[in-house]
mmCIF file of all heavy atoms in Angstrom:
data_model
loop_
_atom_site.group_PDB
_atom_site.id
_atom_site.type_symbol
_atom_site.label_atom_id
_atom_site.label_comp_id
_atom_site.label_asym_id
_atom_site.label_seq_id
_atom_site.Cartn_x
_atom_site.Cartn_y
_atom_site.Cartn_z
ATOM 1 N N LEU A 1 -28.035 4.141 12.562
ATOM 2 C CA LEU A 1 -27.423 4.342 11.253
ATOM 3 C C LEU A 1 -27.363 3.050 10.448
ATOM 4 O O LEU A 1 -27.349 3.077 9.210
ATOM 5 C CB LEU A 1 -26.019 4.917 11.415
ATOM 6 C CG LEU A 1 -25.946 6.369 11.899
ATOM 7 C CD1 LEU A 1 -24.505 6.763 12.182
ATOM 8 C CD2 LEU A 1 -26.572 7.320 10.884
ATOM 9 N N ASP A 2 -27.322 1.914 11.155
ATOM 10 C CA ASP A 2 -27.307 0.618 10.476
ATOM 11 C C ASP A 2 -28.713 0.094 10.193
ATOM 12 O O ASP A 2 -28.860 -0.963 9.577
ATOM 13 C CB ASP A 2 -26.556 -0.420 11.324
ATOM 14 C CG ASP A 2 -25.054 -0.205 11.288
ATOM 15 O OD1 ASP A 2 -24.568 0.435 10.345
ATOM 16 O OD2 ASP A 2 -24.361 -0.667 12.221
ATOM 17 N N HIS A 3 -29.720 0.806 10.641
ATOM 18 C CA HIS A 3 -31.103 0.366 10.463
ATOM 19 C C HIS A 3 -31.461 0.355 8.979
ATOM 20 O O HIS A 3 -30.952 1.150 8.182
ATOM 21 C CB HIS A 3 -32.045 1.298 11.226
ATOM 22 C CG HIS A 3 -33.419 0.753 11.396
ATOM 23 N ND1 HIS A 3 -34.383 0.823 10.400
ATOM 24 C CD2 HIS A 3 -34.007 0.109 12.444
ATOM 25 C CE1 HIS A 3 -35.491 0.271 10.834
ATOM 26 N NE2 HIS A 3 -35.303 -0.176 12.061
ATOM 27 N N SER A 4 -32.351 -0.551 8.599
ATOM 28 C CA SER A 4 -32.728 -0.702 7.194
ATOM 29 C C SER A 4 -33.335 0.575 6.612
ATOM 30 O O SER A 4 -33.271 0.802 5.403
ATOM 31 C CB SER A 4 -33.719 -1.861 7.033
ATOM 32 O OG SER A 4 -34.893 -1.642 7.807
ATOM 33 N N LEU A 5 -33.934 1.417 7.456
ATOM 34 C CA LEU A 5 -34.551 2.641 6.965
ATOM 35 C C LEU A 5 -33.537 3.752 6.698
ATOM 36 O O LEU A 5 -33.867 4.745 6.045
ATOM 37 C CB LEU A 5 -35.592 3.141 7.972
ATOM 38 C CG LEU A 5 -36.817 2.253 8.187
ATOM 39 C CD1 LEU A 5 -37.736 2.852 9.243
ATOM 40 C CD2 LEU A 5 -37.577 2.054 6.875
ATOM 41 N N SER A 6 -32.320 3.603 7.207
ATOM 42 C CA SER A 6 -31.355 4.688 7.067
ATOM 43 C C SER A 6 -30.026 4.283 6.456
ATOM 44 O O SER A 6 -29.264 5.152 6.026
ATOM 45 C CB SER A 6 -31.081 5.306 8.455
ATOM 46 O OG SER A 6 -30.619 4.324 9.367
ATOM 47 N N ARG A 7 -29.748 2.981 6.383
ATOM 48 C CA ARG A 7 -28.399 2.573 5.979
ATOM 49 C C ARG A 7 -28.040 2.987 4.548
ATOM 50 O O ARG A 7 -26.861 3.132 4.224
ATOM 51 C CB ARG A 7 -28.213 1.071 6.139
ATOM 52 C CG ARG A 7 -28.989 0.200 5.180
ATOM 53 C CD ARG A 7 -28.471 -1.239 5.237
ATOM 54 N NE ARG A 7 -28.751 -1.863 6.505
ATOM 55 C CZ ARG A 7 -29.696 -2.778 6.696
ATOM 56 N NH1 ARG A 7 -30.460 -3.154 5.672
ATOM 57 N NH2 ARG A 7 -29.895 -3.319 7.875
ATOM 58 N N ASN A 8 -29.045 3.182 3.705
ATOM 59 C CA ASN A 8 -28.761 3.568 2.324
ATOM 60 C C ASN A 8 -28.805 5.076 2.096
ATOM 61 O O ASN A 8 -28.612 5.542 0.966
ATOM 62 C CB ASN A 8 -29.750 2.877 1.376
ATOM 63 C CG ASN A 8 -29.593 1.363 1.363
ATOM 64 O OD1 ASN A 8 -28.473 0.858 1.444
ATOM 65 N ND2 ASN A 8 -30.707 0.660 1.278
ATOM 66 N N LEU A 9 -29.055 5.818 3.161
ATOM 67 C CA LEU A 9 -29.168 7.261 3.021
ATOM 68 C C LEU A 9 -27.828 7.973 3.111
ATOM 69 O O LEU A 9 -27.687 9.112 2.672
ATOM 70 C CB LEU A 9 -30.119 7.818 4.093
ATOM 71 C CG LEU A 9 -31.566 7.305 4.043
ATOM 72 C CD1 LEU A 9 -32.381 7.911 5.178
ATOM 73 C CD2 LEU A 9 -32.196 7.627 2.691
ATOM 74 N N LEU A 10 -26.845 7.310 3.710
ATOM 75 C CA LEU A 10 -25.540 7.928 3.848
ATOM 76 C C LEU A 10 -24.475 6.857 3.990
ATOM 77 O O LEU A 10 -24.752 5.709 4.344
ATOM 78 C CB LEU A 10 -25.491 8.863 5.051
ATOM 79 C CG LEU A 10 -25.406 8.259 6.464
ATOM 80 C CD1 LEU A 10 -25.050 9.336 7.459
ATOM 81 C CD2 LEU A 10 -26.715 7.591 6.873
ATOM 82 N N ASP A 11 -23.264 7.257 3.718
ATOM 83 C CA ASP A 11 -22.109 6.364 3.840
ATOM 84 C C ASP A 11 -21.297 6.835 5.037
ATOM 85 O O ASP A 11 -20.799 7.963 5.049
ATOM 86 C CB ASP A 11 -21.270 6.416 2.568
ATOM 87 C CG ASP A 11 -20.024 5.545 2.657
ATOM 88 O OD1 ASP A 11 -20.046 4.585 3.453
ATOM 89 O OD2 ASP A 11 -19.042 5.831 1.956
ATOM 90 N N TYR A 12 -21.196 6.008 6.071
ATOM 91 C CA TYR A 12 -20.460 6.419 7.254
ATOM 92 C C TYR A 12 -19.474 5.333 7.648
ATOM 93 O O TYR A 12 -19.616 4.176 7.306
ATOM 94 C CB TYR A 12 -21.416 6.707 8.417
ATOM 95 C CG TYR A 12 -21.776 5.498 9.249
ATOM 96 C CD1 TYR A 12 -21.070 5.211 10.415
ATOM 97 C CD2 TYR A 12 -22.795 4.628 8.868
ATOM 98 C CE1 TYR A 12 -21.384 4.091 11.169
ATOM 99 C CE2 TYR A 12 -23.115 3.516 9.612
ATOM 100 C CZ TYR A 12 -22.403 3.258 10.773
ATOM 101 O OH TYR A 12 -22.705 2.146 11.524
ATOM 102 N N ARG A 13 -18.483 5.735 8.390
ATOM 103 C CA ARG A 13 -17.559 4.770 8.968
ATOM 104 C C ARG A 13 -17.038 5.303 10.300
ATOM 105 O O ARG A 13 -16.982 6.512 10.522
ATOM 106 C CB ARG A 13 -16.407 4.453 8.023
ATOM 107 C CG ARG A 13 -15.414 5.559 7.756
ATOM 108 C CD ARG A 13 -14.297 5.024 6.850
ATOM 109 N NE ARG A 13 -13.230 5.966 6.607
ATOM 110 C CZ ARG A 13 -13.153 6.756 5.548
ATOM 111 N NH1 ARG A 13 -14.124 6.715 4.647
ATOM 112 N NH2 ARG A 13 -12.135 7.580 5.379
ATOM 113 N N GLU A 14 -16.682 4.372 11.167
ATOM 114 C CA GLU A 14 -16.157 4.720 12.483
ATOM 115 C C GLU A 14 -14.646 4.861 12.374
ATOM 116 O O GLU A 14 -13.969 3.968 11.874
ATOM 117 C CB GLU A 14 -16.508 3.636 13.493
ATOM 118 C CG GLU A 14 -18.006 3.352 13.586
ATOM 119 C CD GLU A 14 -18.292 1.937 14.034
ATOM 120 O OE1 GLU A 14 -17.522 1.414 14.869
ATOM 121 O OE2 GLU A 14 -19.253 1.354 13.524
ATOM 122 N N VAL A 15 -14.129 5.985 12.843
ATOM 123 C CA VAL A 15 -12.695 6.235 12.738
ATOM 124 C C VAL A 15 -12.154 6.788 14.056
ATOM 125 O O VAL A 15 -12.886 7.399 14.838
ATOM 126 C CB VAL A 15 -12.369 7.236 11.611
ATOM 127 C CG1 VAL A 15 -12.793 6.681 10.258
ATOM 128 C CG2 VAL A 15 -13.028 8.587 11.864
ATOM 129 N N ALA A 16 -10.882 6.550 14.284
ATOM 130 C CA ALA A 16 -10.185 7.160 15.408
ATOM 131 C C ALA A 16 -9.868 8.613 15.062
ATOM 132 O O ALA A 16 -9.851 9.009 13.886
ATOM 133 C CB ALA A 16 -8.896 6.391 15.704
ATOM 134 N N LEU A 17 -9.605 9.406 16.071
ATOM 135 C CA LEU A 17 -9.313 10.816 15.837
ATOM 136 C C LEU A 17 -8.108 10.978 14.917
ATOM 137 O O LEU A 17 -8.108 11.848 14.035
ATOM 138 C CB LEU A 17 -9.058 11.530 17.160
ATOM 139 C CG LEU A 17 -8.651 13.002 17.052
ATOM 140 C CD1 LEU A 17 -9.747 13.812 16.394
ATOM 141 C CD2 LEU A 17 -8.299 13.562 18.420
ATOM 142 N N SER A 18 -7.090 10.158 15.098
ATOM 143 C CA SER A 18 -5.881 10.277 14.277
ATOM 144 C C SER A 18 -6.203 10.111 12.799
ATOM 145 O O SER A 18 -5.680 10.854 11.946
ATOM 146 C CB SER A 18 -4.846 9.238 14.713
ATOM 147 O OG SER A 18 -5.382 7.924 14.634
ATOM 148 N N GLU A 19 -7.062 9.155 12.459
ATOM 149 C CA GLU A 19 -7.435 8.953 11.054
ATOM 150 C C GLU A 19 -8.250 10.125 10.543
ATOM 151 O O GLU A 19 -8.073 10.573 9.397
ATOM 152 C CB GLU A 19 -8.213 7.651 10.890
ATOM 153 C CG GLU A 19 -8.624 7.379 9.451
ATOM 154 C CD GLU A 19 -9.431 6.102 9.286
ATOM 155 O OE1 GLU A 19 -9.552 5.338 10.267
ATOM 156 O OE2 GLU A 19 -9.950 5.874 8.174
ATOM 157 N N PHE A 20 -9.148 10.629 11.375
ATOM 158 C CA PHE A 20 -9.958 11.779 10.963
ATOM 159 C C PHE A 20 -9.078 12.979 10.661
ATOM 160 O O PHE A 20 -9.272 13.679 9.650
ATOM 161 C CB PHE A 20 -10.973 12.122 12.047
ATOM 162 C CG PHE A 20 -11.818 13.322 11.731
ATOM 163 C CD1 PHE A 20 -12.905 13.220 10.880
ATOM 164 C CD2 PHE A 20 -11.507 14.557 12.279
ATOM 165 C CE1 PHE A 20 -13.680 14.332 10.572
ATOM 166 C CE2 PHE A 20 -12.271 15.672 11.977
ATOM 167 C CZ PHE A 20 -13.360 15.560 11.132
ATOM 168 N N LEU A 21 -8.095 13.238 11.514
ATOM 169 C CA LEU A 21 -7.227 14.395 11.312
ATOM 170 C C LEU A 21 -6.381 14.239 10.051
ATOM 171 O O LEU A 21 -6.131 15.222 9.350
ATOM 172 C CB LEU A 21 -6.319 14.578 12.534
ATOM 173 C CG LEU A 21 -7.023 14.933 13.849
ATOM 174 C CD1 LEU A 21 -6.016 15.029 14.978
ATOM 175 C CD2 LEU A 21 -7.829 16.217 13.728
ATOM 176 N N ASP A 22 -5.960 13.018 9.769
ATOM 177 C CA ASP A 22 -5.126 12.782 8.587
ATOM 178 C C ASP A 22 -5.927 12.852 7.292
ATOM 179 O O ASP A 22 -5.381 13.200 6.239
ATOM 180 C CB ASP A 22 -4.448 11.406 8.674
ATOM 181 C CG ASP A 22 -3.365 11.356 9.737
ATOM 182 O OD1 ASP A 22 -2.878 12.432 10.141
ATOM 183 O OD2 ASP A 22 -3.020 10.242 10.184
ATOM 184 N N ARG A 23 -7.239 12.531 7.373
ATOM 185 C CA ARG A 23 -8.029 12.392 6.148
ATOM 186 C C ARG A 23 -9.323 13.205 6.215
ATOM 187 O O ARG A 23 -10.311 12.860 5.582
ATOM 188 C CB ARG A 23 -8.353 10.916 5.924
ATOM 189 C CG ARG A 23 -7.123 10.017 5.937
ATOM 190 C CD ARG A 23 -7.466 8.554 5.902
ATOM 191 N NE ARG A 23 -8.130 8.170 4.670
ATOM 192 C CZ ARG A 23 -8.496 6.916 4.371
ATOM 193 N NH1 ARG A 23 -8.264 5.948 5.244
ATOM 194 N NH2 ARG A 23 -9.080 6.659 3.232
ATOM 195 N N CYS A 24 -9.313 14.293 6.968
ATOM 196 C CA CYS A 24 -10.557 15.025 7.204
ATOM 197 C C CYS A 24 -11.157 15.595 5.920
ATOM 198 O O CYS A 24 -12.367 15.815 5.838
ATOM 199 C CB CYS A 24 -10.350 16.122 8.241
ATOM 200 S SG CYS A 24 -9.122 17.362 7.790
ATOM 201 N N SER A 25 -10.347 15.813 4.906
ATOM 202 C CA SER A 25 -10.874 16.353 3.660
ATOM 203 C C SER A 25 -11.808 15.370 2.955
ATOM 204 O O SER A 25 -12.567 15.764 2.068
ATOM 205 C CB SER A 25 -9.725 16.723 2.710
ATOM 206 O OG SER A 25 -8.954 15.582 2.378
ATOM 207 N N GLU A 26 -11.781 14.093 3.374
ATOM 208 C CA GLU A 26 -12.634 13.077 2.751
ATOM 209 C C GLU A 26 -14.040 13.062 3.345
ATOM 210 O O GLU A 26 -14.929 12.406 2.802
ATOM 211 C CB GLU A 26 -12.008 11.690 2.913
ATOM 212 C CG GLU A 26 -10.630 11.547 2.276
ATOM 213 C CD GLU A 26 -10.024 10.178 2.531
ATOM 214 O OE1 GLU A 26 -10.774 9.279 3.007
ATOM 215 O OE2 GLU A 26 -8.820 9.998 2.265
ATOM 216 N N PHE A 27 -14.251 13.780 4.436
ATOM 217 C CA PHE A 27 -15.529 13.713 5.148
ATOM 218 C C PHE A 27 -16.374 14.948 4.891
ATOM 219 O O PHE A 27 -15.871 16.077 4.893
ATOM 220 C CB PHE A 27 -15.284 13.555 6.657
ATOM 221 C CG PHE A 27 -14.544 12.309 7.030
ATOM 222 C CD1 PHE A 27 -13.172 12.331 7.218
ATOM 223 C CD2 PHE A 27 -15.224 11.113 7.192
ATOM 224 C CE1 PHE A 27 -12.483 11.180 7.563
ATOM 225 C CE2 PHE A 27 -14.541 9.946 7.543
ATOM 226 C CZ PHE A 27 -13.159 9.989 7.716
ATOM 227 N N ASP A 28 -17.664 14.718 4.680
ATOM 228 C CA ASP A 28 -18.610 15.823 4.532
ATOM 229 C C ASP A 28 -19.107 16.322 5.881
ATOM 230 O O ASP A 28 -19.501 17.488 6.012
ATOM 231 C CB ASP A 28 -19.812 15.376 3.692
ATOM 232 C CG ASP A 28 -19.415 14.982 2.282
ATOM 233 O OD1 ASP A 28 -18.670 15.755 1.643
ATOM 234 O OD2 ASP A 28 -19.828 13.902 1.829
#
């Protein structure tokens, strides 16, 4: 995902489960 061929194709971030559950509406 950090490779030069793919890094501009999507916006991603690493999150803990607690953050995902609190903010899941922000993720596609």
Side-chain angles (χ1 to χ4, degrees):
L1 289 173
D2 286 339
H3 195 279
S4 59
L5 295 178
S6 57
R7 69 167 67 105
N8 295 323
L9 299 179
L10 75 167
D11 178 25
Y12 87 95
R13 68 177 184 264
E14 304 153 35
V15 298
L17 176 62
S18 57
E19 180 182 352
F20 178 80
L21 295 178
D22 289 340
R23 307 172 64 178
C24 60
S25 61
E26 300 177 12
F27 299 96
D28 297 312

